[in-house]
Amino acid sequence: MKKILYLVTFSLLLSACSGKKSDVNVDDVVKSKDLNQIKSSREIVHKEYEKLVADLAKLDKAIAELDPNKKNPLVKTVTLKDSLFTHYIEIQGNVDTKENIVISPEYSGILTQVYVKAGQKVSKGQILGRIDDGGMGSQLAQAETQLALAKTTFERQKNLWDQKIGSEIQFLQAKTSLESQQKAVAQIKSQLNKTNVVAPFSGTIDEVITEKGKVVSPGMELFRIVNLSNMYVTANVPENYISQLKVGAVVEVYLNSLGKTYQGKVRQVGNYINPNNRTFGIEIALPNPDNLLRPNQVAVLKIEDYKNPKALLLPENIIQENAEGKKIVYTVANVDSKNNAKAVQKTVELGYTTGAFVEIKSGLEPGEMVVTDGAKSLKDGITVEVIK
């Protein structure tokens, strides 16, 4: 009987509306292309539309209150509580190492020996290859023989001079000859040492560029050596973060290629602002315990720029926007024994966002139950059933 009553009432409402309806023929008005007439007709039709919508809302409310078989919307909620919230800025950087060089020879000649291969670990000063000395070994042997003679002559002449025997000029000539021969031997040894290609630091031979038997000269590339224990990341940071980045500050470094996050420390902050992009450079020391980092890897730096130990966080996807452009959520109040409650619309002010969560700056308090599922169809003040 109640359903029949609803239908009759609705029909009477429509009839009443139809009776009051103006004789506006929309198609004829549009065809007239009379702007004033079109605007006037629109206002008349819009008023009729608003009245119909309001009347339908009243009928829906009456049905909801009188229908014994009605079902309240089901919702899920989360209880707000204080949480630690940290926000980061993310900046792309580049992994590098200061010990990544190509070794070139200091001497020209045939590369007679190559003692290492790619992937081999070497120590600082270790000989990596040898270049033909072109007979300098024989020259050194001859010079050392002459040095031994000059030394003997000087020692004898010195003994005589100490005994006041002989002339001073003979002593000075022997001394000069010894010193000259010593310099000659040192010079040949220095040149001979250049025929050895040595590691300038401890590391790993990344590449052997040349082959045994090739003629080499200064400037040619022989080996690439890399030390992966002294890695760092460089990045350019917007100037408005300059007060937040100090030497020693901890920075999270994420390597997408590895799927790993490392903890690094800022060891250098640039003193120059690039006028083209308003950024300054930073350098972050990066540990490499697993030996997985490589020069030129792309890194993402997460630099902390905001922290709130008592933040209210909500999933970003439950935040709605009303017709006025304000951000809203729904809470539930007065939950009874049957888990029925009243939906309350709340306007909120949002803060920072991180991941899937957003900080609520105002509009909610700790302990409030916020609707997370089922909020899209809610209206302020309606009764809902809370799913436990």
Side-chain angles (χ1 to χ4, degrees):
M1 288 297 293
K2 288 184 179 179
K3 291 184 178 179
I4 296 173
L5 178 60
Y6 302 153
L7 292 174
V8 171
T9 304
F10 185 62
S11 299
L12 290 173
L13 175 64
L14 291 178
S15 299
C17 291
S18 299
K20 297 179 182 179
K21 184 177 179 182
S22 62
D23 295 329
V24 175
N25 188 314
V26 176
D27 292 332
D28 291 341
V29 171
V30 172
K31 288 179 181 179
S32 72
K33 296 185 179 179
D34 185 333
L35 181 59
N36 291 329
Q37 185 180 356
I38 293 174
K39 287 183 177 180
S40 176
S41 299
R42 185 187 183 283
E43 290 179 3
I44 294 171
V45 173
H46 185 66
K47 288 179 181 179
E48 294 174 352
Y49 168 76
E50 287 182 336
K51 187 178 186 308
L52 281 173
V53 170
D55 289 341
L56 285 172
K58 291 177 182 177
L59 289 173
D60 288 340
K61 184 177 180 180
I63 293 172
E65 291 175 351
L66 299 173
D67 188 357
N69 299 317
K70 70 174 182 177
K71 291 186 178 180
N72 295 325
L74 300 177
V75 297
K76 288 185 178 180
T77 63
V78 63
T79 302
L80 279 180
K81 59 182 180 179
D82 292 337
S83 303
L84 173 64
F85 177 77
T86 305
H87 184 264
Y88 300 89
I89 60 169
E90 293 189 355
I91 297 173
Q92 183 169 301
N94 191 62
V95 179
D96 207 345
T97 174
K98 294 187 182 297
E99 296 182 336
N100 172 23
I101 65 169
V102 174
I103 300 174
S104 299
E106 297 182 85
Y107 192 79
S108 298
I110 299 174
L111 186 65
T112 58
Q113 297 292 337
V114 174
Y115 299 115
V116 293
K117 58 185 179 181
Q120 180 176 335
K121 294 185 181 298
V122 295
S123 302
K124 181 178 179 179
Q126 181 176 334
I127 297 177
L128 310 179
R130 195 182 300 276
I131 301 170
D132 180 54
D133 60 21
M136 274 199 300
S138 300
Q139 294 178 28
L140 178 60
Q142 184 178 358
E144 286 178 336
T145 299
Q146 293 175 352
L147 175 61
L149 177 60
K151 186 177 181 180
T152 300
T153 301
F154 171 73
E155 289 174 350
R156 289 181 179 179
Q157 197 63 44
K158 184 177 185 302
N159 289 334
L160 291 174
W161 179 248
D162 291 342
Q163 298 175 33
K164 307 300 181 181
I165 301 173
S167 64
E168 182 180 4
I169 190 65
Q170 290 175 318
F171 169 73
L172 293 176
Q173 286 176 341
K175 181 181 179 183
T176 301
S177 177
L178 174 62
E179 291 175 349
S180 176
Q181 200 59 42
Q182 286 174 334
K183 290 180 180 179
V185 170
Q187 185 176 8
I188 295 174
K189 283 184 176 180
S190 176
Q191 287 294 106
L192 199 57
N193 284 336
K194 292 181 180 180
T195 64
N196 294 325
V197 182
V198 300
F201 52 79
S202 299
T204 302
I205 300 298
D206 191 60
E207 183 181 5
V208 177
I209 302 173
T210 190
E211 299 176 356
K212 176 182 175 181
K214 290 285 186 70
V215 177
V216 298
S217 60
M220 289 184 63
E221 298 181 348
L222 302 185
F223 310 96
R224 176 179 292 278
I225 182 172
V226 180
N227 182 2
L228 299 179
S229 63
N230 186 21
M231 307 298 288
Y232 65 96
V233 176
T234 57
N236 293 319
V237 182
E239 65 175 319
N240 51 308
Y241 293 105
I242 196 166
S243 62
Q244 297 167 257
L245 284 171
K246 305 293 183 183
V247 173
V250 177
V251 177
E252 289 188 11
V253 182
Y254 178 73
L255 278 298
N256 186 58
S257 58
L258 303 177
K260 297 188 66 174
T261 299
Y262 293 80
Q263 293 287 338
K265 286 188 177 182
V266 177
R267 69 181 183 190
Q268 182 178 335
V269 177
N271 297 311
Y272 172 75
I273 302 294
N274 187 329
N276 296 321
N277 55 16
R278 310 307 304 173
T279 63
F280 62 96
I282 61 171
E283 188 174 293
I284 300 166
L286 203 59
N288 190 17
D290 303 324
N291 206 35
L292 296 176
L293 301 180
R294 296 291 185 274
N296 299 316
Q297 279 179 309
V298 175
V300 176
L301 310 183
K302 296 181 66 176
I303 302 172
E304 179 183 316
D305 69 333
Y306 173 77
K307 180 181 285 187
N308 184 354
K310 294 185 177 181
L312 300 178
L313 303 179
L314 284 177
E316 188 177 15
N317 62 352
I318 74 169
I319 308 297
Q320 302 182 56
E321 186 173 304
N322 62 16
E324 299 174 354
K326 296 180 179 179
K327 304 298 182 182
I328 61 170
V329 296
Y330 283 92
T331 62
V332 295
N334 305 322
V335 181
D336 61 20
S337 59
K338 295 182 179 180
N339 294 327
N340 291 323
K342 179 182 178 182
V344 181
Q345 184 184 107
K346 295 287 186 76
T347 301
V348 295
E349 179 188 355
L350 306 183
Y352 285 103
T353 299
T354 182
F357 291 89
V358 62
E359 180 190 22
I360 305 300
K361 299 291 288 185
S362 65
L364 295 173
E365 297 294 334
E368 290 193 83
M369 298 173 65
V370 181
V371 177
T372 56
D373 292 334
K376 297 294 183 182
S377 60
L378 298 186
K379 294 181 180 178
D380 189 34
I382 71 170
T383 302
V384 297
E385 181 179 344
V386 180
I387 302 175
K388 292 294 186 179

